[in-house]
Amino acid sequence: MDVQKAIEERRAVKHYDPSHIMAEAAIEKLMKLALLAPTAFNIQNWRFVLVRDPELRKQIRAVAWDQAQVTDASLLIVLCADLKSWEKNPARYWAQAPQPVRDYMVPAIDTYYRGREQVQRDEGMRSCGIAAQTLMLAAKDMGYDSCPMDGFDYGAVGELIKMPPDHAVAMFVVIGKPMQAAWPLPGQLPTGDVVINNRF
Ligand SMILES: Cc1cc2nc3c(=O)[nH]c(=O)nc-3n(C[C@H](O)[C@H](O)[C@H](O)COP(=O)(O)O)c2cc1C
């Protein structure tokens, strides 16, 4: 599937075949593709929690407005941001870069993020959003449907997955085989309402 077709055909699907099991090789391929999503300074601040335990899925569904896709999709991915990835051995993000690039980039990471809590959080949300779209397009290409989600109690989900205190939950992406197509596109804004040339 080409990229344009994947973009056009991706829809937020809400009803999944609960009996479909995604092969481990497919999960591995999907995650390899997701890890190619870009991050600022290459800090790779996304963390992908694959919720495989059916009991945990039920508990998460209970704090996610009882949305069926949480338990019925083949894969529930909780995208979390490691808010402090920038200071956790940052040399590893540039390990294969030429020496002059490494010498410039590694200290620049510290200068940019240290003491800027809001920037650290914003960066985490940006990275997870880009990774989520990468996952959804890759899933489409692999014959799956998906749904991005933020309809859940963030605090409760963080506790259920035992998230470390220096992380933040960004969103869910569920992936699986559809039982029911998405409803028709509900109402796209005209280009002129949202595309601004040069200045507002
Ligand atoms: C950040 C985000 C959170 C969303 N949360 C939910 C959700 O909790 N439950 C749900 O059924 N759909 C959710 N959606 C899906 C949107 O309703 C859907 O993407 C939108 O209506 C556009 O439809 P489309 O994705 O099929 O083009 C969410 C989408 C985004 C981007």
Side-chain angles (χ1 to χ4, degrees):
M1 181 179 274
D2 68 25
V3 177
Q4 184 176 328
K5 198 162 186 301
I7 292 170
E8 285 168 351
E9 292 192 0
R10 182 218 55 81
R11 296 296 317 282
V13 167
K14 292 151 205 272
H15 302 283
Y16 291 90
D17 177 357
S19 67
H20 181 269
I21 294 169
M22 208 168 166
E24 280 305 316
I27 297 174
E28 203 175 306
K29 180 177 174 187
L30 194 63
M31 296 317 303
K32 267 200 173 139
L33 291 168
L35 267 55
L36 294 175
T39 55
F41 291 103
N42 199 35
I43 59 174
Q44 298 161 72
N45 45 350
W46 13 244
R47 300 293 177 265
F48 304 88
V49 181
L50 309 183
V51 185
R52 296 167 179 270
D53 175 3
E55 192 48 45
L56 182 55
R57 289 262 209 126
K58 281 189 202 154
Q59 292 170 345
I60 294 176
R61 176 170 168 172
V63 297
W65 311 348
D66 195 34
Q67 296 189 77
Q69 58 272 49
V70 173
T71 50
D72 295 354
S74 309
L75 207 54
L76 165 63
I77 306 172
V78 182
L79 284 93
C80 300
D82 180 349
L83 305 174
K84 300 294 172 189
S85 67
W86 59 272
E87 65 176 355
K88 295 173 182 168
N89 185 18
R92 65 194 159 129
Y93 308 134
W94 292 92
Q96 267 100 58
Q99 187 76 45
V101 177
R102 198 158 62 228
D103 289 348
Y104 175 77
M105 292 305 283
V106 177
I109 293 174
D110 198 277
T111 306
Y112 187 76
Y113 291 106
R114 187 167 296 283
R116 302 176 76 199
E117 307 298 318
Q118 182 70 48
V119 173
Q120 295 166 20
R121 191 182 167 84
D122 290 348
E123 206 74 278
M125 297 302 140
R126 270 190 285 275
S127 296
C128 287
I130 295 169
Q133 181 74 344
T134 304
L135 276 168
M136 293 188 286
L137 295 180
K140 195 74 211 171
D141 181 54
M142 290 167 65
Y144 286 90
D145 274 298
S146 63
C147 186
M149 298 179 68
D150 66 4
F152 55 87
D153 178 331
Y154 275 70
V157 169
E159 278 179 28
L160 284 167
I161 62 169
K162 299 188 189 305
M163 187 179 66
D166 62 355
H167 288 50
V169 177
M171 62 189 289
F172 296 170
V173 172
V174 298
I175 292 168
K177 289 290 184 186
M179 289 273 267
Q180 215 176 292
W183 50 58
L185 281 172
Q188 302 307 112
L189 294 174
T191 312
D193 284 9
V194 292
V195 177
I196 293 98
N197 286 301
N198 300 318
R199 298 180 183 84
F200 276 92

